[in-house]
Amino acid sequence: MDKIKEKIRERIKPILQGNEIDDDENFFELGLVHSLFAMQIILFIEKEYKIELDPDEVSLENLSSIDAIAEIIDERFKKTPSV
Amino acid sequence: MKDLKKHRQYNMGFNSDFEKEVISFVSEYITPYAIEMDVTQNIPNAVIKNIADKGYFGACVKSKYGGQNMNAYDIMSLHKIMAQGHGSVENMLTVTGMVTQPIQRFGSREIRDKWLPLIATGEKIGGIALTEPNAGSDLRSVETCLTDKKDHFVLNGVKRWITLGQIADFFLVLCKLENKTIAVIVERNNPGLKIKSIKNMLGLKANMLAELEFTDCVVPKENTIGSEIDGVSTAINFGLDEGRFTTACGSLGIAEAALSEAIKHVREKDRLNKHQLVQKLLTEMIVDVESAKNFCTAAAEAREIFDLSMVRKTLLAKYVASKAATSVTSNAIQILGAKGCHLNSSFTERLYRDAKIMEIIEGSTQIHEVLIPKEFLYV
């Protein structure tokens, strides 16, 4: 889980423009991300972890913080450990 | 390595086997009908059937749903060559891709199983309803409204200039639900949907545009596609991304064809061949076409390897290629003179009119001038 979060932080870092955020902070509410951000996060998850997200996994709740994103990736690993 | 080889091949201007197949298809089944399409302002059923039989409607539909699941380079070739046959045919396939991607990525299992096989075979034609009388490029300001009635939704509002509106069997409609944007599928035979044809546009004259009026239109709850995450429906953003890429490739096709027409004309007129001001125009056209080709190929490469830069490279490709198409077709007319100005008989004048529309659809040049800097500032 920590490794997953580290990778997400790495990806989010340039977008946050030097602002430090906690893993549970909602980056949509911070107003630092633009309208194509969700697309990029989805592409990042699918490419990095070679998974195809189900439509019900792609929601504001699941993509709004480092913790939330790590959670859906971790859940996938639990379901299909070979992924 | 395979991708790199293909990238080099495209950049050097070689035609892949697939591109040769599309060239042959367009010569036989599209070009002979091109003038008729502009005059009658529709795509004949025979043309649509031939495209369906060839499987081109399923270009980006996954194989498990009966689609072609083409790689990004072949999609680039398909749209480039189709636009040379007729811009509206290319745009019909663009719209199909824009409908396919949101359904494929965000539709429920039932929605995917129902619609994707029908799209892939061309059995059902889809339209995407985004633009409204008061909301064009700024999709956050859509006024078409979805109301929750517990066991179903009700849709009210007006969509305008909807490509394929005159013939589409179903529409992916962008609307607002409690201040959030969402997409829903509405079938043509819905009693709450009234369709009015729109004709006599400047270019892409066979786009079969329509106005869609939704009045207390009942929409089953299971017809929703995705939800808003960051301002605009993410499903629609994926659709627009596909549309930008294919429109960029179509624009490249238009620019290449106009350049080719201009070169043919200059070669025939030896006097023009030596004129330095004509050479200047040709130089600008060649640079525009090569630039558009490079940006489209870079976007195709990023899409093929699923690189995160695909979003920004697609924006750049659409911006550069559609502007190039406008500029190159204008210069081509300038070189051809009166010969290039005959309405409905000069190939170049159609390219010129179609090119202008490419700069407006799937995010205007000005919207790209807002989105592109954001991409680079944030990433």
Side-chain angles (χ1 to χ4, degrees):
Chain A
M1 191 73 151
D2 286 345
K3 277 187 183 172
I4 296 173
K5 286 186 186 179
E6 190 53 46
K7 270 192 182 168
I8 300 166
R9 273 187 220 109
E10 208 176 291
R11 178 63 198 148
I12 306 286
K13 198 177 170 184
I15 300 171
L16 298 178
Q17 303 174 92
N19 290 284
E20 298 266 327
I21 63 161
D22 294 333
D23 289 355
D24 62 351
E25 272 191 293
N26 185 320
F27 26 68
F28 291 104
E29 285 173 6
L30 293 174
L32 293 170
V33 294
H34 63 84
S35 65
L36 299 175
F37 174 77
M39 261 186 88
Q40 288 178 318
I41 287 294
I42 293 164
L43 290 169
F44 158 73
I45 296 169
E46 295 192 341
K47 188 189 176 195
E48 190 69 38
Y49 297 99
K50 296 180 175 50
I51 54 176
E52 205 169 305
L53 292 172
D54 286 333
D56 52 5
E57 287 175 309
V58 184
S59 64
L60 180 60
E61 295 71 36
N62 285 349
L63 301 176
S64 62
S65 68
I66 292 166
D67 278 348
I69 296 168
E71 187 67 33
I72 53 167
I73 297 167
D74 192 52
E75 280 298 312
R76 274 302 191 93
F77 276 107
K78 281 179 194 160
K79 276 188 211 165
T80 47
S82 58
V83 170
Chain B
M1 183 59 84
K2 196 179 161 195
D3 288 334
L4 191 61
K5 195 177 164 194
K6 208 156 195 179
H7 177 89
R8 284 187 185 143
Q9 189 185 53
Y10 277 83
N11 255 356
M12 289 168 71
F14 297 139
N15 296 131
S16 65
D17 289 343
F18 176 72
E19 191 163 311
K20 284 179 193 159
E21 175 199 304
V22 183
I23 290 170
S24 162
F25 177 85
V26 167
S27 307
E28 191 171 352
Y29 297 108
I30 310 287
T31 311
Y33 300 96
I35 292 172
E36 180 192 328
M37 284 189 233
D38 259 34
V39 174
T40 61
Q41 301 184 45
N42 69 56
I43 302 173
N45 287 337
V47 171
I48 295 175
K49 186 180 181 310
N50 284 325
I51 291 169
D53 289 347
K54 202 74 184 160
Y56 293 153
F57 281 112
C60 61
V61 178
K62 288 178 181 169
S63 313
K64 65 178 173 184
Y65 298 110
Q68 305 286 322
N69 200 25
M70 286 182 195
N71 67 54
Y73 297 105
D74 284 350
I75 286 184
M76 178 175 161
S77 293
L78 177 68
H79 286 266
K80 188 179 81 168
I81 306 301
M82 282 290 171
Q84 294 175 354
H86 197 288
S88 289
V89 175
E90 185 283 319
N91 196 242
M92 176 169 67
L93 295 179
T94 280
V95 166
T96 303
M98 292 174 74
V99 171
T100 300
Q101 291 295 12
I103 291 177
Q104 194 155 250
R105 194 171 267 281
F106 295 99
S108 65
R109 184 175 297 277
E110 291 72 25
I111 291 274
R112 282 178 281 163
D113 289 346
K114 176 181 176 181
W115 290 107
L116 293 174
L118 298 171
I119 294 170
T121 54
E123 205 174 319
K124 296 284 181 191
I125 305 277
I128 185 160
L130 306 178
T131 310
E132 299 181 358
N134 297 320
S137 294
D138 180 14
L139 296 176
R140 290 171 202 229
S141 57
V142 291
E143 292 168 354
T144 297
C145 176
L146 198 64
T147 312
D148 194 341
K149 297 284 184 185
K150 288 189 181 169
D151 59 340
H152 64 273
F153 289 124
V154 164
L155 187 64
N156 281 289
V158 176
K159 295 286 179 181
R160 196 172 282 171
W161 300 294
I162 305 308
T163 295
L164 303 177
Q166 294 172 30
I167 62 158
D169 299 289
F170 70 99
F171 299 95
L172 190 57
V173 183
L174 180 70
C175 49
K176 276 246 164 96
L177 174 66
E178 292 164 2
N179 285 327
K180 288 196 168 187
T181 57
I182 190 168
V184 291
I185 291 180
V186 178
E187 296 192 47
R188 184 182 195 85
N189 58 9
N190 191 311
L193 168 60
K194 202 157 86 183
I195 300 176
K196 284 185 230 162
S197 297
I198 298 175
K199 295 203 172 209
N200 300 322
M201 302 300 283
L202 170 72
L204 298 184
K205 288 180 88 80
N207 266 26
M208 297 178 280
L209 301 183
E211 179 177 287
L212 314 180
E213 192 180 330
F214 303 96
T215 309
D216 295 330
C217 180
V218 175
V219 180
K221 286 207 160 173
E222 55 271 24
N223 278 18
T224 54
I225 307 281
S227 58
E228 174 182 311
I229 293 176
D230 48 4
V232 175
S233 154
T234 306
I236 293 296
N237 265 340
F238 271 94
L240 278 169
D241 173 70
E242 181 72 18
R244 285 177 191 128
F245 176 61
T246 53
T247 300
C249 302
S251 303
L252 169 62
I254 288 173
E256 277 188 357
L259 174 61
S260 172
E261 288 296 296
I263 287 174
K264 200 163 68 182
H265 182 74
V266 170
R267 278 186 180 144
E268 283 167 6
K269 307 257 180 188
D270 195 42
R271 178 176 53 82
L272 280 179
N273 200 356
K274 294 189 180 75
H275 202 298
Q276 288 183 340
L277 290 180
V278 171
Q279 287 172 4
K280 179 183 182 290
L281 283 177
L282 283 175
T283 302
E284 288 172 359
M285 293 163 79
I286 291 163
V287 169
D288 277 345
V289 167
E290 286 301 309
S291 172
K293 194 188 294 176
N294 284 333
F295 275 96
C296 287
T297 309
E301 186 182 35
R303 299 175 82 81
E304 191 51 28
I305 62 173
F306 219 39
D307 190 87
L308 290 176
S309 66
M310 66 174 254
V311 177
R312 72 162 93 155
K313 284 183 176 166
T314 298
L315 286 169
L316 287 169
K318 202 285 180 175
Y319 181 73
V320 171
S322 61
K323 273 167 66 85
T326 307
S327 163
V328 172
T329 53
S330 171
N331 284 342
I333 298 257
Q334 199 67 29
I335 289 173
L336 266 77
K339 194 181 168 188
C341 297
H342 289 275
L343 205 59
N344 293 330
S345 63
S346 156
F347 178 38
T348 318
E349 73 83 28
R350 189 177 74 243
L351 294 172
Y352 176 65
R353 289 185 288 101
D354 287 352
K356 190 64 213 169
I357 311 297
M358 301 301 247
E359 239 195 290
I360 296 168
I361 57 175
E362 319 337 342
S364 67
T365 292
Q366 288 65 38
I367 282 294
H368 279 69
E369 284 165 352
V370 173
L371 291 173
I372 289 168
K374 276 188 186 171
E375 264 301 302
F376 282 80
L377 285 170
Y378 282 117
V379 178

